[in-house]
């Protein structure tokens, strides 16, 4: 039996789909979502929902209920990717080299649909609902801008979601604990002394010690960390030298690191710096390490996850609440969770008949749009349930 919130989501399904398809045809990259922002603002004004701009192209909209209470924030990201679309849809991107290949167009449309439903229930609300239409998720910059603009001031809980092909349409994963990995980029630069390749003893090569450095990276993980606390180190860039007969003075590495626990992250950072110092001393070269902290690991707080799970049961049915493995991918949603309790849901959009099978960031990425009514309803149901708790 369809619950009341889901019934409301079905009633506005055409509105949500139309808005999503317009965004899909006109994708904008991170920090460039100018027209996307204008479109969302036009709809918020029609709905009579107060808003203010934040960051470069983000929006913080606020709906205050008829009675005082707690504050809940709902977040939807709005940026696209620099990908040439190959998906066979009638509303495919008309912006050359840009594509909504991560489903943020659907996320924004689902949040707008939730805002529409909640605006019609305004007087019934006990507390406040904030809607974050967030720029720059792909660059891990948007959440920080909303936070800097005061978006999280006084927020008691924050909720977000992402469509995933690991679940069929109509299923959802809302699991407590670590759900997505944090991400750091590590830059290593070796500096030696150049010279002729025939007389390496008069120079200080950097390519060989860089190779030794790379092969030793995995030892940091296997010998310093609990094997049940996963960390991934991937060397994505190795650049050194100019010519075969010239000893390379400089070699540079770029390493991607994924982790869950802050303790493991700290130990790996310390291990890499120790390793770099040892290599430098052993080969008499200078080794500099710079660590760029990109995104935090995503942790679903137990109390609000329980509320969100109960909300999901009302929308999806208990039999469709599924737990999937943790993801080593990263999100900027955890920055919000530094300021309050948070929960993040994975919604299934897989439908093989519609070729909705591809993981985000694929040029043939396509969603089953039937999943969007579930996202709208889950936003609304969680907001109502949390404010009543």
């Amino acid at each position: 039996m369809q619950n009341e919130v889901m019934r409301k989501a079905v009633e506005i399904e055409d509105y949500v789909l139309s808005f999503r398809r317009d965004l899909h045809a006109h994708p904008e990259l991170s920090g460039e979502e100018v027209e996307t922002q204008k479109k969302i603002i036009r709809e918020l004004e029609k709905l009579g929902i107060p808003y203010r701009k934040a960051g470069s192209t983000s929006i913080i909209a606020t709906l205050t209920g008829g009675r005082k209470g707690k504050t809940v924030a709902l977040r939807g990201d709005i940026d696209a990717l620099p990908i040439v679309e190959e998906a066979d849809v009638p509303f495919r991107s008309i912006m050359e080299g840009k594509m909504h290949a991560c489903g943020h167009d659907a996320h924004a449309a689902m949040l707008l649909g939730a805002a529409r439903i909640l605006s019609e229930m305004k007087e019934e609300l006990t507390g406040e609902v904030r809607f974050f239409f967030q720029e720059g998720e792909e660059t891990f910059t948007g959440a920080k801008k909303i936070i800097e603009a005061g978006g999280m001031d006084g927020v008691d809980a924050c909720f977000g979601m992402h469509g995933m092909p690991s679940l069929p349409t109509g299923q959802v994963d809302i699991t407590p604990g670590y759900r997505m990995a944090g991400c750091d980029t590590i830059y290593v630069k070796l500096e030696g002394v150049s010279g002729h390749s025939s007389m390496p003893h008069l120079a200080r090569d950097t390519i060989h010690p860089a190779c030794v450095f790379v092969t030793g990276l995995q030892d940091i993980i296997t010998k310093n960390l609990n094997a049940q606390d996963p960390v991934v180190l991937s060397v994505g860039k190795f650049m050194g030298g100019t010519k075969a007969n010239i000893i390379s003075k400089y070699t540079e590495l770029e390493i991607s690191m994924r982790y869950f626990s802050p303790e493991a992250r700290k130990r790996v950072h310390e291990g890499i710096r120790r390793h770099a110092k040892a290599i430098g001393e052993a080969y008499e070269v200078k080794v500099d390490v710079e660590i760029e902290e990109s995104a935090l690991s995503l942790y679903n707080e137990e109390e609000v996850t329980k509320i969100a799970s109960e909300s999901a049961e009302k929308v999806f049915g208990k039999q469709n609440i599924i737990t999937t493995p943790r993801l080593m991918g990263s999100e900027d949603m955890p920055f919000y969770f530094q300021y309050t309790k948070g929960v993040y849901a994975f919604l299934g959009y897989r439908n093989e008949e519609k070729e909705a099978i591809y993981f985000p960031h694929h040029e043939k990425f396509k969603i089953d749009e039937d999943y969007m009514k579930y996202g709208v309803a889950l936003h609304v149901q969680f907001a109502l349930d949390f404010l009543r708790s």
Side-chain angles (χ1 to χ4, degrees):
M1 182 177 176
Q2 199 175 79
N3 86 327
E4 180 64 15
V5 170
M6 189 62 178
R7 184 186 64 77
K8 291 177 181 289
V10 171
E11 285 179 355
I12 66 165
E13 187 174 14
D14 288 345
Y15 169 80
V16 174
L17 295 185
S18 176
F19 191 80
R20 179 257 166 170
R21 291 176 181 182
D22 182 40
L23 293 187
H24 191 90
H26 304 89
E28 295 178 300
L29 302 182
S30 304
E32 300 176 3
E33 308 95 326
V34 176
E35 294 304 316
T36 301
Q37 183 191 55
K38 289 179 181 177
K39 292 172 183 178
I40 295 169
I41 286 174
R42 282 197 292 269
E43 295 306 312
L44 291 173
E45 289 177 345
K46 291 177 186 176
L47 297 172
I49 299 177
Y51 67 88
R52 58 190 175 94
K53 296 179 181 179
S56 301
T57 52
S58 296
I59 303 165
I60 301 172
T62 304
L63 195 61
T64 303
R67 290 163 291 178
K68 291 184 178 180
K70 293 181 286 189
T71 299
V72 62
L74 308 176
R75 176 268 209 162
D77 34 20
I78 64 175
D79 53 330
L81 289 158
I83 293 175
V84 177
E85 182 164 15
E86 294 183 13
D88 182 20
V89 293
F91 46 88
R92 65 187 296 169
S93 172
I94 62 171
M95 312 297 285
E96 186 175 355
K98 301 176 185 180
M99 177 189 176
H100 269 296
C102 202
H104 295 185
D105 51 341
H107 300 169
M110 291 188 294
L111 185 59
L112 184 62
R116 176 172 168 172
I117 292 173
L118 287 166
S119 69
E120 296 170 354
M121 308 171 64
K122 180 179 177 179
E123 294 307 314
E124 302 173 34
L125 298 178
T126 301
E128 180 181 296
V129 183
R130 290 185 198 165
F131 307 92
F132 297 160
F133 294 92
Q134 182 207 301
E135 66 187 278
E137 187 283 322
E138 297 292 353
T139 55
F140 303 141
T141 58
K144 292 178 181 178
K145 291 183 179 181
I146 286 181
I147 293 166
E148 289 169 3
M152 288 299 293
D153 294 352
V155 172
D156 298 293
C158 188
F159 177 75
M161 61 178 69
H162 204 299
M164 296 297 292
S166 52
L167 292 167
T169 300
Q171 291 189 347
V172 63
D173 177 353
I174 304 180
T175 305
Y178 288 113
R179 301 305 296 149
M180 295 186 74
C183 174
D184 294 332
T185 302
I186 301 164
Y187 302 90
V188 180
K189 184 175 182 179
L190 294 86
E191 179 179 348
V193 178
S194 60
H196 198 282
S197 62
S198 65
M199 293 182 284
H201 62 290
L202 299 180
R204 290 292 177 267
D205 178 35
T206 57
I207 290 181
H208 177 68
C211 291
V212 175
F213 178 89
V214 169
T215 57
L217 281 177
Q218 303 309 318
D219 295 340
I220 296 172
I221 296 175
T222 59
K223 302 304 179 185
N224 289 272
L225 300 178
N226 184 327
Q228 296 187 45
D229 193 357
V231 172
V232 175
L233 285 175
S234 299
V235 180
K237 181 178 179 180
F238 190 126
M239 186 171 68
T242 56
K243 200 171 185 294
N245 63 350
I246 302 174
I247 300 293
S248 177
K249 181 176 181 178
Y250 298 107
T251 297
E252 297 181 12
L253 309 173
E254 291 186 13
I255 306 162
S256 175
M257 173 180 168
R258 307 282 172 156
Y259 68 93
F260 287 111
S261 79
E263 295 78 15
R265 179 196 205 190
K266 181 181 178 182
R267 286 187 63 81
V268 173
H269 286 184
E270 292 172 345
I272 287 175
R273 294 190 188 280
R274 282 198 312 272
H275 187 42
K277 182 179 179 181
I279 292 292
E281 291 177 351
Y283 292 92
E284 298 180 279
V285 296
K286 181 181 178 182
V287 185
D288 290 324
V289 176
E290 179 184 345
I291 300 177
E292 178 183 274
E293 300 182 355
S294 303
L296 305 173
S297 52
L298 190 150
Y299 185 91
N300 281 346
E301 194 273 338
E302 285 79 0
E303 181 183 343
V304 292
T305 301
K306 184 176 184 296
I307 296 172
S309 295
E310 292 170 354
S311 301
E313 286 185 22
K314 298 172 185 176
V315 172
F316 292 83
K318 189 173 184 178
Q319 72 280 8
N320 290 314
I321 313 299
I322 308 295
T323 294
T324 59
R326 296 183 294 181
L327 295 177
M328 296 308 291
S330 303
E331 248 273 2
D332 74 349
M333 189 78 186
F335 289 112
Y336 297 118
F337 295 178
Q338 289 185 300
Y339 294 84
T340 193
K341 299 173 182 178
V343 57
Y344 195 70
F346 298 128
L347 275 65
Y349 64 71
R350 187 178 187 87
N351 187 323
E352 295 184 10
E353 291 183 1
K354 297 180 180 180
E355 297 183 343
I357 58 175
Y358 298 101
F359 201 80
H361 295 213
H362 194 284
E363 62 272 11
K364 292 184 179 180
F365 175 86
K366 186 190 295 186
I367 64 169
D368 176 5
E369 291 184 319
D370 287 344
Y371 106 95
M372 294 178 63
K373 59 179 175 287
Y374 291 101
V376 172
L378 184 56
H379 270 308
V380 174
Q381 192 68 63
F382 174 76
L384 294 174
D385 291 343
F386 179 78
L387 293 179
R388 291 167 182 159
S389 67

